[in-house]
Amino acid sequence: ALAALLFGLPFYYAFALPILPGRSTNLVELGVLIGLGSALLHWLLLRLANRASFQGLPIAPIALLAVLASWALISATAAEYSAEALREWRTVFLASTLFAGALWLTLVTTQNRDADLWLLLIGWLTGALLFAVLSLALYRTDLVAFEAEGVRRLRGFYGSPNNLALYLDRVLPVTLALALFSARRSIRLILALITAPLIVAFLLTFSKGGLL
């Protein structure tokens, strides 16, 4: 569930999930709740089978996130436009904290942490690769790019090229590190092939902040 959520992250702004006629829900928030529910169910089943054991992972980062989210909630409730502020708090702070909690719970109860980490990584990088390839394939259309300041800037399915650059800023360091320093040559080759379209898409955003 968490790997599927990581796969769908870059499509968050462009695609909503229909639930009823005329009604849709947020891809990330629904994915976070499903992931957290799955992690809790897995832990509960392990407890019922007397197999629950927590492998050492510090909980301090999750606790700090919870404190930060609580502090942000105080600010949101005091805002002049409280409805908008609470929506931003829910999507930025609460969803992030719940997702981090789901990741922590998954990785401390897993029977094979290395395999699960690779599954999460593959989900994340596959989503980024698909997003970049689709964006590059549609680069000449106004659907994913526009002319500005004498260049054609790629925005993908985001509202702005800077949004796309912000997302790729998170993915590229991971793919580059794996492509350069993985112990196995086959992994280095696969990651190099994944990194290439990500770099092209990143450069075509012409985002000054991203390039800096």
Side-chain angles (χ1 to χ4, degrees), residues 62-153:
I62 311 300
L64 289 173
L65 273 176
V67 170
L68 180 63
S70 301
W71 184 256
L73 179 59
I74 297 173
S75 301
T77 54
E80 181 178 355
Y81 299 98
S82 59
E84 291 80 1
L86 287 171
R87 184 183 67 245
E88 293 298 313
W89 172 80
R90 190 185 76 240
T91 57
V92 175
F93 290 93
L94 181 61
S96 300
T97 303
L98 293 178
F99 180 58
L103 276 176
W104 182 86
L105 188 58
T106 297
L107 294 177
V108 296
T109 57
T110 181
Q111 303 302 305
N112 192 337
R113 185 180 293 173
D114 287 344
D116 281 359
L117 283 171
W118 273 108
L119 178 62
L120 292 168
L121 186 66
I122 290 169
W124 183 32
L125 299 186
T126 304
L129 176 63
L130 178 62
F131 189 90
V133 169
L134 287 174
S135 299
L136 292 172
L138 298 171
Y139 178 62
R140 290 298 174 186
T141 71
D142 293 335
L143 181 65
V144 298
F146 59 88
E147 301 287 341
E149 301 174 351
V151 295
R152 187 165 184 81
R153 300 188 64 186

